[in-house]
Amino acid sequence: MKTVIIACGAGIATSTLICDRVRHLLSENGIAADIIQCTVADIAGHAARADLIITSMKLENRYDKPIVTAISFLTGIGREQTEQEILGHLT
């Protein structure tokens, strides 16, 4: 099972929307994942066990995990490319 961190500034609204879309994407593609929803400030506490970090914003900190900025899930622009990037990191 994969572990995915989904983070936004407050860890509530934006990350909830992204979580819903990522869960649907992973389900459609048969990928089992534990999703951790948190604030950007909380990423460091979860990063060691993550396979992928998905955010709604650029991160100032660097992590040794792949990071996908998923603003396209909010705007709709480039959504398919973001989905393929996420799948590429988890398959």
Side-chain angles (χ1 to χ4, degrees), residues 11-61:
I12 301 171
T14 305
S15 61
T16 298
L17 178 62
I18 294 172
C19 273
D20 290 344
R21 295 186 184 207
V22 169
R23 279 189 178 106
H24 182 72
L25 174 68
L26 298 182
S27 176
E28 282 185 331
N29 288 277
I31 299 171
D34 179 28
I35 295 178
I36 300 168
Q37 183 177 347
C38 64
T39 67
V40 169
D42 293 332
I43 292 173
H46 303 289
R49 67 178 193 257
D51 295 291
L52 177 63
I53 299 169
I54 302 173
T55 69
S56 62
M57 58 200 333
K58 296 266 183 190
L59 299 180
E60 291 182 18
N61 294 339

